[in-house]
């Protein structure tokens, strides 16, 4: 049955509006990063301006930009890898081993992810201070693993359930041990789920601000915290803030576009019945 032409037009018009609402903040950030300070505060706002890369040049020439970039990459990559390793093993155990409360544990893990990170700032700081983990990258990595692990377990749990047990049993009959079955048979089939989990984990570890602000110092700052340095008593240097925001947003966007198909497949396959 063909839909009325008016319905089709309205459908695509709504999709265009939603797409614009999603893209508009990114366009505003990027456009502002190309403006001089005088153009940003011009009244009325002038949509036609001469682009400049001065804000990017100033940000990249900051004395400690390389250190902040290295901190963000180290924290993001290490926390993502650790979360995927632990989450994959936990999801496999929940999906394959039978014990009382298995499904309850699998689905209630996601509730831990609903706790706002802002609420955790002070308690985490007090605990991390007692353990000597404040102002250290390992302390930040440990926290991000704890924050991201519930969602990763929930996502991969549903995905592991879709892998037929017969494949693992056939590999075991052929002489593969448990580790070989897990690495050679299961992991390749979990690639879409791992891709989806990795982008969400990396994005949170890369972009998170509140906990990184509380738990780092001038030597262990990440890029989001470094962006706040352009907010001073004199005012806000919006050009540099937006230039830093554009640089911060670039890696997750590229990662998402590259792994888009895997991410969509992983999300749809992971959201299944237990």
């Amino acid at each position: 049955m063909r839909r009325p032409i008016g319905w089709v037009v309205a459908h695509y018009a709504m999709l265009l509006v939603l797409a614009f609402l999603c893209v508009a903040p990114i366009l505003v950030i990027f456009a502002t990063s190309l403006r001089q300070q005088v153009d940003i505060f011009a009244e009325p706002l002038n949509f036609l301006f001469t682009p400049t890369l001065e804000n990017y040049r100033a940000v990249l020439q900051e004395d400690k930009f390389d250190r902040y970039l290295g901190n963000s990459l180290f924290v993001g990559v290490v926390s993502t890898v650790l979360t995927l390793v632990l989450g994959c093993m936990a999801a496999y155990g929940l999906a394959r081993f039978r014990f009382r409360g298995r499904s309850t544990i699998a689905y209630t893990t996601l509730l831990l992810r609903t706790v706002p990170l802002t609420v955790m700032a002070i308690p985490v700081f007090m605990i991390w201070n007692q353990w000597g983990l404040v102002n250290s990258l390992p302390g930040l990595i440990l926290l991000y693993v704890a924050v991201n692990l519930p969602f990763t377990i929930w996502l991969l749990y549903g995905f592991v359930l879709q892998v037929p047990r017969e494949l693992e049993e056939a590999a075991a009959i052929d002489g593969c041990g448990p580790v070989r079955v897990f690495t050679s048979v299961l992991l390749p089939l979990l690639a879409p789920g791992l891709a989806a989990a990795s982008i969400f984990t990396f994005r949170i570890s890369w972009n998170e601000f509140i906990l990184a602000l509380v738990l780092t110092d001038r030597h262990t700052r990440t890029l989001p915290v470094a962006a706040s340095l352009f907010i001073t008593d004199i005012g806000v240097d919006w050009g540099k803030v937006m230039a830093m925001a554009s640089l911060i947003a670039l890696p997750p966007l590229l990662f998402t576009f590259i792994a888009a198909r895997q991410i969509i497949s992983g999300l749809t396959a992971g959201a299944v019945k237990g």
Side-chain angles (χ1 to χ4, degrees), residues 53-62 230 240:
L53 296 177
E54 184 60 33
N55 293 319
Y56 289 94
R57 186 178 299 109
V59 168
L60 294 174
Q61 289 179 350
E62 286 290 325
F230 298 114
K240 294 180 181 178

Side-chain angles (χ1 to χ4, degrees), residues 109-121 123-124 147 150 211:
T109 53
L110 192 60
L111 294 177
L112 300 175
R113 185 62 187 87
T114 63
V115 178
L117 298 182
T118 307
V119 177
M120 301 169 54
V124 167
V147 168
L211 297 177

Side-chain angles (χ1 to χ4, degrees), residues 7 140 154 169 230 266:
W7 188 94
L140 200 58
W154 173 82
E169 294 172 354
F230 298 114

Side-chain angles (χ1 to χ4, degrees), residues 59 136 156 167 180:
V59 168
S136 68
L156 295 179
L167 294 178
R180 181 71 179 277

Side-chain angles (χ1 to χ4, degrees), residues 4 11 29 33-34 40 56 65 75 85 92 99 106 120 157-158 192 196 199 217 236-237 239:
H11 175 72
I29 291 174
S33 70
L34 298 177
I40 296 175
Y56 289 94
F65 178 82
V75 170
V85 172
Y92 180 77
F99 54 90
M120 301 169 54
Y157 169 75
I199 185 60
D217 59 9
V236 180
D237 194 335

